[in-house]
């Protein structure tokens, strides 16, 4: 839709301190989060330059939602998606609007709510195993530990049953190489990206090897298509009844792209969410004790499983709050497929829009005291769909959101019920900004819980602060944490 009465993109203010050839590339590479937050004064939109290209950053929640909802006009595409496709092909998260609906219909059954209890059982078992492998006094490389946990859990839910240890180890190492090289490659101009550096060689090797690993698993499954009630079986058996071009099922190539998309998209994001949650608990011991009290009273000696989820109110709020402070998908982009009007500004087909969960989640007019870790801000409160967007929104919203939340809540419960966590490294610990907000390098010290059961009576008697206004009744298992918390 074009409206001649509206302003053009040139009227959108340009972010300050653009350098002649580089634009804002230097501050964006040097400290992306500081740069993004320096734009929080712009309430609607601001232009950012990266070399010769200009992108419009959307800073307003309602406009962000408008972009998310209209995926026909604001589509996935452009140079960033070209980089991502190098790794995961044209799968559900990277494909354009024209391919999306069919792929979403074919993938959706794998994430149907009825499958969650089955996945939950795998997550709980993997988390118990991981938490049981640590020793009193260990200093954990938290990100590495959470990556092995979610890799194992993702592999088992996708491919049913443990894969050989060597396959798992190789997949993990390759994933780590790809993920850490990715953001730099995304920001590096095309010519420099092709230079035969050692980093490029390692990156290419890792992505070919990971693709080969997934292709091997799919070939085995095609050879023996017995339904194993896992994610891959559902994908192999999925039929799109609405497809009118004879392609009712996923081809081998599509299957490989989807499997890689779920594998890479799912395990890293969930692992770093868990790592940040553990960091926030370690630096907020009062919340950690409340959470231990919750897990003790909910588990009460029983084995952790998905049936406990409705009672794990605080664990769920900790995850919600972690995703607010450290949304793994801190930046998302869209390309305009046609001229359009957004917020009274005419934007041309081909323009790039940037949406940032990090910026919205830390805006002080949207969240009280936004930098404070306060799980109880969610007590009885549903997150606002426009300003809280860790999973995106609209037709391209994360298909694995409930899968990830189930995994994260169960893993957190398994860990804090056994262990006391304290910071072991540099403080404050800052995110490494890559494709996601990485917690790489985060270390925590473990102490075995001495009492086993935190004294919840004592905790809840301690000078309670007033809970935020509650528009609805808290669900079962919800209880206010009594003290103030630091990020
Ligand atoms: C805490 C964990 C996770 C976070 C924060 C997260 C975040 C996101 C976000 C923000 C998007 C939308 C991106 C955009 O609109 O540009 C997305 C899409 C997607 N996510 Fe997740 N995700 C998580 C876990 C998972 C898991 C566990 C899976 C699969 C096993 C998964 C698979 C996908 C897929 C396939 C898409 C593309 C959906 C589509 O376009 O239809 N994600 N995710």
């Amino acid at each position: 839709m074009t409206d001649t009465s509206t302003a053009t993109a040139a009227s959108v203010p340009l972010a300050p301190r653009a350098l002649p050839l580089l634009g804002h590339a230097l501050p964006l590479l040097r400290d992306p989060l500081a740069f993004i937050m320096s734009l929080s004064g712009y309430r609607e939109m601001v232009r950012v330059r990266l070399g010769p290209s200009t992108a419009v950053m959307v800073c307003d929640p309602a406009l962000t939602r408008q972009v998310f909802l209209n995926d026909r006009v604001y589509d996935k595409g452009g140079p960033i998606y070209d980089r991502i496709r190098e790794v995961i092909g044209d799968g559900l998260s990277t494909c354009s609007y024209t391919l999306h609906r069919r792929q979403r219909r074919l993938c959706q059954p794998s994430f149907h709510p009825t499958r969650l209890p089955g996945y939950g059982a795998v997550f709980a078992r993997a988390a118990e195993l991981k938490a049981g492998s640590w020793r009193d006094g260990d200093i954990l490389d938290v990100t590495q530990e959470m990556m092995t946990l979610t890799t194992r859990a993702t592999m088992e839910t996708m491919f049913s049953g443990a894969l050989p240890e060597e396959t798992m180890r190789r997949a993990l190492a390759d994933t780590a190489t790809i993920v850490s090289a990715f953001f730099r490659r995304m920001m590096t101009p095309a010519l420099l990206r092709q230079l035969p550096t050692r980093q490029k060689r390692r990156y290419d090797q890792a992505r070919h090897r990971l693709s080969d690993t997934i292709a091997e698993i799919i070939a085995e499954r095609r050879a023996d298509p017995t339904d194993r009630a896992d994610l891959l079986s559902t994908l192999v058996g999925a039929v799109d009844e609405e497809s009118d071009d004879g392609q009712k099922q996923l081809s081998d190539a599509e299957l490989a792209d989807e499997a890689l998309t779920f594998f890479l998209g799912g395990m890293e994001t969930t692992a770093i969410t868990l790592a940040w949650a553990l960091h926030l608990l370690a630096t907020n011991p009062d919340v950690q004790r409340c959470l231990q009290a919750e897990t003790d009273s909910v588990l009460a000696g029983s084995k952790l499983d998905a049936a406990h989820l409705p009672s794990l109110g605080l664990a769920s709020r900790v995850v919600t709050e972690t995703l607010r402070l450290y949304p793994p998908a801190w930046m998302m982009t869209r390309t305009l497929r046609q001229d359009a009007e957004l917020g009274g500004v005419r934007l041309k087909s081909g323009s790039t829009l940037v949406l940032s969960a990090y910026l919205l989640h830390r805006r002080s007019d949207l969240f009280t005291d936004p930098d404070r870790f306060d799980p109880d801000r969610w007590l009885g409160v549903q997150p606002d769909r426009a300003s809280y967007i860790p999973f995106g929104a609209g037709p391209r919203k994360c298909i694995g959101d409930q899968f990830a939340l189930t995994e994260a809540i169960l893993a957190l419960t398994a860990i804090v019920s056994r262990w006391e966590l304290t910071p072991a490294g540099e403080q404050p610990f800052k995110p490494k900004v890559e494709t996601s907000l990485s917690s790489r390098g985060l270390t925590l010290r473990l102490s075995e819980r001495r009492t086993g059961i935190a004294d919840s009576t004592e905790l809840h008697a301690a000078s309670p602060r007033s809970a935020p206004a509650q528009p609805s009744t808290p669900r079962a298992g919800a209880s206010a944490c009594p003290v103030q918390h630091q990020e």
Side-chain angles (χ1 to χ4, degrees):
M1 187 198 357
T2 314
D3 179 351
T4 45
S5 65
T6 48
T8 64
S11 67
V12 174
L14 181 68
R17 292 187 292 281
L19 291 175
L21 287 169
L22 296 169
H24 300 98
L26 285 183
L28 200 51
L29 275 175
R30 203 177 293 136
D31 191 346
L33 296 182
F35 178 70
I36 295 282
M37 288 318 291
S38 76
L39 307 179
S40 61
Y42 297 92
R43 284 301 183 231
E44 296 208 322
M45 290 186 268
V46 57
R47 277 182 303 139
V48 174
R49 271 188 42 221
L50 200 60
S53 350
T54 300
V56 172
M57 174 137 178
V58 184
C59 310
D60 173 70
L63 294 182
T64 302
R65 191 161 172 78
Q66 211 172 311
V67 172
F68 274 136
L69 294 188
N70 192 349
D71 63 329
R72 192 170 54 82
V73 172
Y74 306 106
D75 198 1
K76 293 200 173 180
I80 290 186
Y81 280 95
D82 293 344
R83 293 292 80 64
I84 306 178
R85 280 192 200 106
E86 277 178 15
V87 182
I88 54 177
D90 229 357
L92 183 62
S93 69
T94 44
C95 67
S96 60
Y97 171 80
T98 44
L99 300 175
H100 181 253
R101 291 299 190 271
R102 171 179 174 274
Q103 291 204 26
R104 184 93 188 192
R105 282 194 299 269
L106 282 161
C107 293
Q108 200 73 59
S110 302
F111 296 91
H112 194 271
T114 51
R115 301 213 148 241
L116 283 179
Y119 297 152
V122 175
F123 297 149
R125 200 172 51 240
E128 297 275 20
L129 258 177
K130 175 54 83 183
S133 71
W134 299 326
R135 297 285 162 264
D136 195 21
D138 276 358
I139 295 191
L140 293 186
D141 177 337
V142 190
T143 312
Q144 180 69 13
E145 287 296 300
M146 293 304 105
M147 290 275 269
T148 51
L149 167 59
T150 60
T151 306
R152 188 176 297 276
T154 309
M155 287 234 169
E156 288 191 21
T157 43
M158 282 183 75
F159 310 127
S160 75
L163 292 172
E165 204 54 42
E166 175 52 25
T167 310
M168 190 88 88
R169 208 190 45 72
R170 200 176 55 202
L172 183 66
D174 290 339
T175 305
T177 306
I178 293 168
V179 165
S180 71
F182 205 68
F183 183 63
R184 253 171 207 284
R185 289 188 61 75
M186 237 162 65
M187 294 295 165
T188 309
L191 267 177
L192 293 180
R193 244 187 351 257
Q194 297 317 321
L195 291 179
T197 59
R198 200 160 66 92
Q199 198 200 38
K200 179 177 185 309
R201 261 198 314 278
R202 284 189 59 215
Y203 170 80
D204 285 341
Q205 273 168 1
R207 87 192 153 86
H208 289 134
R209 211 164 33 210
L210 188 62
S211 295
D212 290 348
T213 307
I214 302 275
E216 265 168 47
I217 297 170
I218 289 174
E220 281 168 21
R221 193 58 66 92
R222 288 280 199 210
D224 173 12
T226 317
D227 184 354
R228 291 167 224 192
D230 60 8
L231 224 147
L232 189 58
S233 289
T234 326
L235 271 184
V236 171
V239 177
D240 178 20
E241 296 299 351
E242 291 179 43
S243 186
D244 46 14
D245 57 2
Q247 286 197 302
K248 287 192 182 298
Q249 288 201 280
L250 290 167
S251 67
D252 273 7
E254 287 175 322
L255 210 51
D257 287 352
E258 301 307 0
L260 228 107
T261 298
F262 296 157
F263 181 66
L264 278 177
M267 54 149 285
E268 204 242 346
T269 44
T270 315
I272 59 176
T273 302
L274 272 167
W276 285 120
L278 295 175
H279 163 73
L280 288 164
L281 291 171
T283 46
N284 292 272
D286 51 321
V287 186
Q288 190 177 163
R289 280 194 298 277
C290 286
L291 191 53
Q292 281 159 346
E294 174 177 276
T295 58
D296 291 344
S297 92
V298 172
L299 295 182
S302 64
K303 212 167 147 35
L304 175 67
D305 66 40
H308 291 117
L309 281 169
S311 310
L312 296 169
L314 179 54
S316 161
R317 294 199 298 283
V318 166
V319 173
T320 304
E321 180 70 340
T322 303
L323 285 167
R324 183 184 70 80
L325 285 168
Y326 299 107
W330 62 284
M331 187 186 87
M332 293 164 255
T333 62
R334 292 294 189 267
T335 295
L336 266 80
R337 290 292 173 212
Q338 60 186 68
D339 294 355
E341 184 258 314
L342 184 70
V345 173
R346 258 181 296 136
L347 298 169
K348 289 234 167 291
S349 173
S351 310
T352 300
L353 295 183
V354 179
L355 314 169
S356 173
Y358 190 86
L359 176 69
L360 292 189
H361 292 183
R362 299 224 179 202
R363 260 179 62 166
S364 56
D365 57 330
L366 301 175
F367 296 93
T368 313
D369 206 352
D371 292 337
R372 187 157 60 90
F373 174 58
D374 179 10
D376 282 352
R377 70 173 77 236
W378 303 111
L379 196 58
V381 174
Q382 282 302 315
D384 175 65
R385 287 188 305 176
S387 47
Y388 181 81
I389 51 164
F391 294 108
R396 308 295 304 238
K397 188 178 180 204
C398 179
I399 200 169
D401 56 351
Q402 296 308 316
F403 181 100
L405 292 172
T406 304
E407 183 174 9
I409 295 168
L410 291 173
L412 214 53
T413 304
I415 295 169
V416 299
S417 65
R418 272 180 184 237
W419 299 104
E420 200 94 48
L421 303 145
T422 44
E426 59 172 290
Q427 290 299 326
F429 182 81
K430 290 228 160 89
K432 315 277 177 296
V433 183
E434 297 171 349
T435 325
S436 44
L437 279 191
S438 175
S439 51
R440 205 158 35 81
L442 174 68
T443 51
L444 293 178
R445 186 185 307 278
L446 287 180
S447 325
E448 200 150 15
R449 286 184 62 210
R450 270 184 281 275
T451 57
I453 305 272
D455 187 344
S456 56
T457 331
E458 189 184 299
L459 277 167
H460 288 274
S463 61
R465 72 182 171 83
S466 51
Q470 293 172 26
S472 64
T473 316
R475 61 193 178 116
S479 62
C481 235
V483 271
Q484 303 273 339
H485 326 302
Q486 302 299 314
E487 193 207 330

